[in-house]
Amino acid sequence: SNLNINDVLGNYSLTLIDALDTLAVMGNSSEFQKAVKLVIDTVSFDKDSTVQVFEATIRVLGSLLSAHIIITDTKQPFGDMSIKDYDNELLHMAHDLAVRLLPAFENTKTGLPYPRAYPRVNLKKGVPPDSHNETCTAGAGSLLVEFGILSRLLGDSTFEWVARRAVKALWSLRSNNTGLLGNVVNIQTGHWVGKQSGLGAGSDSFYEYLLKSYILFGEKEDLQMFNDAYQNIQNHLRRGREACNEGEGDPPLYVNVNMYTGQLMNTWIDSLQAFFPGLQVLIGDVEDAICLHAFYYAIWKRYGALPERYNWQLQAPDVPFYPLRPELVESTYLLYQATKNPFYLHVGMDILQSLEKYTKAKCGYATLHHVVEKTQEDRMESFFLSETCKYLYLLFDEENPVHKSGNKFMFTTEGHIVSVDERFRNSLWQDILPEEEESAEKVKPSELKAANFSSNCNRVPDERRYLLPLKSNYMRQIDRMVGLI
C-alpha cells in the first residue's frame, strides 16, 4: 500500500542490480561475476510493474550501465571483472528499460517527463491514464547522465535528446527576478506548483547533474547553466558570514526560500542537502564545503544519524526517520580526498560505529524510524549498498584503483561509477537539439574546470592538513547551533 516504497522496489531485484559496481569497487571479482550472471539470467523488465521514472533511472539503468562499462574496460582497473561469453547483455537490458521509460516523455506540452512520485510508468502498459501532472525538479531534470551514456554507447540520440530537452525546459522556467527554480512543476502548463527553492528533496540532483553532465560529456552549455545556478544559490539561499574559517557572524547555511522573492519560506533543512559539500568539492569551493559539512556532522553527532528533516531554529527533528542515506558519507569522502585531513577519517569512523550500533539488524541494516528513540523499520533501501557502504569503503581504502586513476572516474547521483573518457564526448549525431547546434561546443577532459571556482582548489594549505579543518571556536559555534553544547 506504500506507493513511495513499492514503486521504487519495482519487483526486479533492485538491491542486487544497484549493488553490482560496489562489488567491483571492492575488488570482489567472484561475487561481481556471480551477481552479473544472476541479473542476466533472472531479471526481466517485462512486468506489470509501476515504477518511478527517476528512481528506475538512477538505481537500475545507471547500475546496469556502470557494470557494463566495468566489464568491457580492456584495462580492467578493478581486477579481472570479465564475464565469460559476455555479449553486452547488461547494455541490452539498459536499452530495454529505457525504452519502457520513454512513454513518460510523451504527450507532455513542456517536454518534462511524467514524474517520479505521482504519475508513474508501468513497464508493460506505459503511463497510467489517471496520472497526475506534477513533477519535482530533481525527478524531471536528473536523467541526463544515465540517458546520455546510453545514447552515446548505442549511437542513438533519442535518450539523451529527451533528457536534455527536460533540463532545458526546467531551465527556461526559472524566475526572471532571482534565477531560482521551484521544487514542483506542472508538466503540462509549466506553472510552478511548489515555489520553494532549496538544495534538498525535490531539487538536489538537478544541480548535481548540471555539473556532472558537463564533466562527462563536455557540453559547455551544461557548465554555463551550472555556474549561473550556483551563483544564484550563493546570492539567495546562503546565509551567515561571508567566509567559512574567518570573520564574525553565524556559520554559513543554505536555507529554503521563495523562488520569486528569495524570502525565507521555513526554518528546516533536510538530510539530502548534505550532498552539497561534496558538489562544492568538485568545483573547488572547498572552504565553504568544510563549513557546511561540519554543520551536518554536528547533527549526526547529536543523534547518531541524520533526521530526514531538521529544524535549525527549534534545534529538533521535524521528520525524525533516517533511511540509511549516503549524502553525509559522500561529502566526507570527497572532502578527505580534497584535503587529506585525518579529521574526515574520524568522521567516517564515527558514522560507521553509529550504523553498527543503531541500524544493524539480523539480516542487513535497518532504517531508523526515529533518530531519538532509535526504533527501526523493516526496510533497507538499495542505496545503502550502492552508496553508503561504497563511500565508507573508499574513504578508508587509500590504495583503491579509483584513487590511482587520476580523474578517470565519476560517480552518478546513485554512486555508480562511470569512466570519464573521450567516448562519452564523441556523439555520432550532430544535432543533440537541432535548433541549437551551434551551442553544442565540446571540451576535452584536460580542459575541464568550473568557471570562477577552480582557483579555490588549493585554498587549504599543507600546514592545516593535520589541524581541525575549522578553527575550534567555529566548531563550538556549530555545536551550539545544533544543541550539542
Side-chain angles (χ1 to χ4, degrees):
S1 63
N2 190 331
L3 295 179
N4 274 333
I5 295 173
N6 293 332
D7 284 356
V8 172
L9 295 176
N11 196 26
Y12 41 47
S13 302
L14 175 64
T15 299
L16 173 66
I17 294 174
D18 213 359
L20 288 177
D21 66 309
T22 299
L23 293 167
V25 167
M26 294 173 69
N28 196 333
S29 58
S30 61
E31 286 300 312
F32 174 77
Q33 291 160 348
K34 186 165 75 173
V36 168
K37 290 176 182 176
L38 196 57
V39 169
I40 292 171
D41 293 342
T42 66
V43 174
S44 169
F45 301 119
D46 188 27
K47 293 181 179 294
D48 192 11
S49 291
T50 302
V51 300
Q52 296 182 19
V53 174
F54 172 64
E55 300 292 355
T57 298
I58 65 170
R59 300 200 201 195
V60 183
L61 184 63
S63 187
L64 292 171
L65 292 170
S66 175
H68 168 76
I69 292 167
I70 289 168
I71 293 167
T72 55
D73 191 327
T74 55
K75 295 182 181 179
Q76 293 289 346
F78 299 108
D80 183 13
M81 299 294 163
S82 60
I83 306 292
K84 186 179 180 182
D85 301 322
Y86 179 70
D87 190 22
N88 296 325
E89 286 92 344
L90 297 185
L91 181 59
H92 296 320
M93 292 178 70
H95 182 217
D96 176 50
L97 175 60
V99 168
R100 294 174 188 274
L101 296 177
L102 281 180
F105 295 86
E106 299 170 1
N107 302 317
T108 72
K109 296 177 182 178
T110 61
L112 296 170
Y114 284 94
R116 62 182 290 266
Y118 298 107
R120 292 163 287 272
V121 170
N122 185 289
L123 293 177
K124 271 184 179 271
K125 302 174 184 176
V127 177
D130 60 345
S131 291
H132 293 256
N133 291 316
E134 297 173 2
T135 185
C136 70
T137 301
S142 306
L143 310 173
L144 183 52
V145 166
E146 290 82 6
F147 274 51
I149 290 171
L150 181 64
S151 273
R152 291 173 190 238
L153 287 176
L154 294 174
D156 180 351
S157 63
T158 303
F159 306 100
E160 179 171 342
W161 189 84
V162 296
R164 190 171 287 282
R165 181 181 61 172
V167 171
K168 290 175 181 290
L170 281 168
W171 189 246
S172 71
L173 297 174
R174 68 195 187 280
S175 165
N176 292 329
N177 181 41
T178 63
L180 298 173
L181 292 85
N183 59 346
V184 180
V185 65
N186 185 298
I187 63 175
Q188 302 296 352
T189 65
H191 293 152
W192 289 102
V193 180
K195 300 175 179 60
Q196 176 177 297
S197 189
L199 300 178
S203 300
D204 51 348
S205 53
F206 174 76
Y207 301 112
E208 178 184 2
Y209 266 21
L210 289 179
L211 181 61
K212 289 186 175 179
S213 296
Y214 168 68
I215 291 171
L216 201 58
F217 306 129
E219 306 286 354
K220 289 188 177 180
E221 185 181 26
D222 295 335
L223 177 63
Q224 186 60 54
M225 285 190 287
F226 174 80
N227 282 334
D228 289 349
Y230 191 79
Q231 192 59 57
N232 292 329
I233 287 168
Q234 297 300 314
N235 290 342
H236 299 289
L237 271 62
R238 193 181 186 277
R239 300 289 191 271
R241 62 177 176 270
E242 182 176 345
C244 169
N245 223 8
E246 57 188 50
E248 301 293 327
D250 294 330
L253 179 69
Y254 292 82
V255 299
N256 300 317
V257 304
N258 183 290
M259 64 175 288
Y260 294 112
T261 65
Q263 295 300 307
L264 185 71
M265 283 193 72
N266 49 58
T267 58
W268 53 259
I269 42 87
D270 60 62
S271 63
L272 287 169
Q273 189 189 314
F275 91 98
F276 199 66
L279 187 65
Q280 291 182 305
V281 168
L282 293 186
I283 62 170
D285 206 351
V286 178
E287 286 286 354
D288 212 50
I290 286 171
C291 246
L292 189 58
H293 174 275
F295 171 66
Y296 276 91
Y297 176 49
I299 300 173
W300 184 284
K301 283 190 294 184
R302 181 173 175 186
Y303 299 108
L306 270 187
E308 189 73 347
R309 186 180 290 178
Y310 178 80
N311 193 310
W312 44 265
Q313 188 174 70
L314 300 177
Q315 295 187 347
D318 273 354
V319 180
F321 72 90
Y322 168 66
L324 304 170
R325 289 202 187 280
E327 284 76 16
L328 179 61
V329 186
E330 177 186 7
S331 290
T332 301
Y333 163 64
L334 290 170
L335 271 165
Y336 179 65
Q337 290 302 310
T339 67
K340 293 301 179 183
N341 191 317
F343 170 80
Y344 295 106
L345 296 177
H346 289 282
V347 173
M349 181 59 71
D350 196 0
I351 293 171
L352 180 61
Q353 289 174 340
S354 295
L355 290 171
E356 288 290 305
K357 183 176 180 180
Y358 300 123
T359 73
K360 192 170 185 177
K362 184 177 180 181
C363 192
Y365 289 76
T367 292
L368 285 182
H369 182 69
H370 199 294
V371 297
V372 177
E373 299 168 1
K374 303 298 189 292
T375 48
Q376 296 182 346
E377 292 182 17
D378 186 14
R379 171 161 65 115
M380 187 181 84
E381 292 277 0
S382 67
F383 53 65
F384 179 69
L385 296 182
S386 70
E387 297 185 82
T388 311
C389 291
K390 183 185 289 141
Y391 287 126
L392 272 172
Y393 184 86
L394 286 171
L395 175 64
F396 297 108
D397 186 14
E398 296 271 12
E399 302 302 312
N400 196 278
V402 172
H403 304 140
K404 296 191 170 186
S405 67
N407 295 319
K408 181 179 178 182
F409 297 110
M410 185 191 83
F411 295 99
T412 71
T413 193
E414 185 70 8
H416 297 307
I417 197 162
V418 294
S419 304
V420 179
D421 59 39
E422 289 291 348
R423 62 178 159 166
F424 296 130
R425 279 182 191 78
N426 298 318
S427 57
L428 300 179
W429 54 91
Q430 294 300 314
D431 52 341
I432 293 174
L433 282 176
E435 70 275 14
E436 301 185 18
E437 286 183 50
E438 295 180 2
S439 69
E441 291 185 76
K442 306 281 184 176
V443 292
K444 297 178 181 178
S446 59
E447 298 173 344
L448 291 175
K449 64 179 181 179
N452 305 324
F453 303 112
S454 58
S455 61
N456 294 339
C457 280
N458 298 316
R459 283 188 60 195
V460 180
D462 287 342
E463 59 266 23
R464 275 181 51 198
R465 286 230 167 129
Y466 297 100
L467 302 173
L468 287 173
L470 264 180
K471 293 174 182 175
S472 57
N473 58 314
Y474 293 140
M475 282 280 195
R476 288 194 298 272
Q477 184 186 33
I478 290 175
D479 286 347
R480 283 193 298 271
M481 185 177 174
V482 302
L484 264 176
I485 56 176

